[in-house]
Amino acid sequence: MDPSQYLASRKRAVAAAAAAGRVLYPHKFTATTTLPEMIGAYGGLAKGERRDGDTLRRGDLIGVTGVPGKTRNGELSIFPGTLTLLSPCLHMLPSARFPLKDSETRYRQRYVDLILSQRSRSTFVTRSRVIAGLRRFMDDAGFLEVETPMMTSVPGGATAKPFITHHNDLNVRMYMRVAPELYLKQLVVGGLDRVYEIGRNFRNEGVDLTHNPEFTACEFYAAYWDYNDLMSFTERLLDTLVRSVTGGSPKIVYHPDGEWVVDPATGERTPGRAVEIDFTPPYPRLSMVSTLEGKLGVTLPADLGSAEAVAALDALCVKHGVECAPPRTAARLLDKLVGDLIEVDCVQPTFLCDHPVLMSPLAKGHRSRPGLTERFELFVNGRELANAYTELNDPAVQRSRFRLAAADGDAGDEEAMVHDEAFCTALEYGLPPTAGWGLGIDRLIMLLTDHISIKEVLLFPALKPAGSGSGAA
């Protein structure tokens, strides 16, 4: 019987039972124990020992009143006195012989995936526990959890392309937030010295193994800290979270190509490459520009925003086969060079520090290295996990940085940061020396649950409507 015939048969059976007066969807069933509790209490029964109709199908939800015992084969069971059908499953569930393998079906019908896959259930339980642990760590460090707007009139706080919507009553264009940064810093201006937010951000960009249009992040801001404090805090935080998942070890085993690798020619499955990642502090700290110069064997121009520097960076991208789509601005060229030549080698947790000013419009200038900022990104397994910096708090300099970013926008960079005058006005009231930090929670969960696709750690990832082709958004 194929699935469509099975569905039709089950619908007829359910309709017939309902017509006969059967209650197939009762309002309530009082559950007095759980399967884990039963296993713990009665697992020691001998084989065959026990304590003192309807045709069911796989997937049906039932309520059982009975006594625990073991069958002659030694299987712990409930010997039912009464059995109540609570909710029939009308569809044919995949079996162990024919498991659910299609990834798009698993993502589109996550409920089926959760019914069948213990690993999927475990992944999302771990996700919930990690977020709870992160929240406890922040609360214990004296941070106040806050909420900021999801829709804004200015898409500020990150270099990203926003989603656009319209508010009918206000008759204004609105943007789904790309980051909560500017709001959180305004709260620090208002005297809330340590604030954090765990929530969704939205970016209208590509979808791949590590990007989803909406994603979960944690951002925090701490008055009287700088980026050195943030690095130490990050090390303690990650060490704590990893140990909470592993049961005490600061190390995880990750398979960057997947647990199993399938040969496209033969279909043969072989175990994927395993990498041990150690989150024990301290982590290496690499200065971006000097490390890049060492990789390239060149000295870059002091003024990285000059025409000479753009030409040099462009030539280096061509020479080393580094792709960079237009507009080929200095910031974009640098980002691509660093990504291809440095980030990919950061398998163990590594801080990439001291980004140029032209790549960091909201970061404070470096106290001893002109042209650079006190910023770092944390990379693990070659992927960005966190981004942080000592915050720029001079309103005049902030306005000039916004103007520089606007120039990139005029050149066609859709991800360039836009000018937010309301934020600059807030800075005029006085932002104390402050450091801010953001971490991608989805990517952290990928590492801790050994998944290579972000879709595996999102209950409902972005997909095209059913029947429209590929499952990518």
Side-chain angles (χ1 to χ4, degrees), residues 308-472:
E308 174 195 2
V310 173
L313 292 169
D314 193 292
L316 288 167
C317 282
V318 173
K319 178 180 178 180
H320 292 275
V322 175
E323 295 183 2
C324 179
R328 294 169 74 89
T329 62
R332 289 171 60 85
L333 291 165
L334 269 171
D335 182 64
K336 297 301 182 183
L337 283 167
V338 170
D340 280 22
L341 301 178
I342 301 177
E343 294 172 7
V344 292
D345 294 330
C346 298
V347 176
Q348 299 301 318
T350 304
F351 293 120
L352 187 59
C353 310
D354 309 329
H355 296 52
V357 168
L358 55 84
M359 299 179 73
S360 314
L362 296 171
K364 197 174 185 71
H366 200 285
R367 66 195 74 183
S368 62
R369 303 182 66 183
L372 305 182
T373 61
E374 294 192 351
R375 176 187 173 190
F376 72 81
E377 292 173 289
L378 174 66
F379 285 87
V380 183
N381 189 47
R383 301 271 170 77
E384 178 194 346
L385 191 61
N387 180 39
Y389 36 83
T390 306
E391 299 295 336
L392 175 59
N393 58 349
D394 183 330
V397 176
Q398 184 63 79
R399 286 189 175 95
S400 68
R401 295 274 192 88
F402 279 148
R403 285 193 290 270
L404 287 174
D408 285 345
D410 292 340
D413 187 352
E414 294 182 322
E415 298 179 3
M417 196 170 296
V418 299
H419 187 110
D420 189 330
E421 182 56 29
F423 173 66
C424 293
T425 299
L427 292 183
E428 293 176 340
Y429 283 81
L431 175 67
T434 298
W437 175 98
L439 175 137
I441 289 176
D442 306 316
R443 292 186 183 180
L444 176 61
I445 304 302
M446 289 170 61
L447 284 171
L448 297 182
T449 57
D450 197 12
H451 286 296
I452 63 171
S453 172
I454 195 171
K455 288 184 172 66
E456 298 290 353
V457 302
L458 300 175
L459 282 167
F460 301 101
L463 301 169
K464 284 185 177 180
S468 62
S470 169

Side-chain angles (χ1 to χ4, degrees), residues 134 137-139 141-146 180-181 184-185 188 192-198 217-223 225-227 229-237 376 386-389 391 434-439:
L134 171 60
F137 193 94
M138 299 302 299
D139 292 343
F143 284 81
L144 177 70
E145 185 172 11
V146 298
E181 176 169 345
L184 292 173
K185 285 193 280 194
V188 180
L192 301 181
D193 286 349
R194 295 188 183 185
V195 293
Y196 78 98
E197 182 170 8
I198 297 175
C218 175
E219 284 202 27
F220 75 76
Y221 293 83
W225 287 16
D226 66 8
Y227 81 142
D229 299 310
L230 292 179
M231 282 187 261
S232 299
F233 187 85
T234 302
E235 290 169 340
R236 296 195 304 273
L237 169 62
F376 72 81
N387 180 39
Y389 36 83
E391 299 295 336
T434 298
W437 175 98
L439 175 137

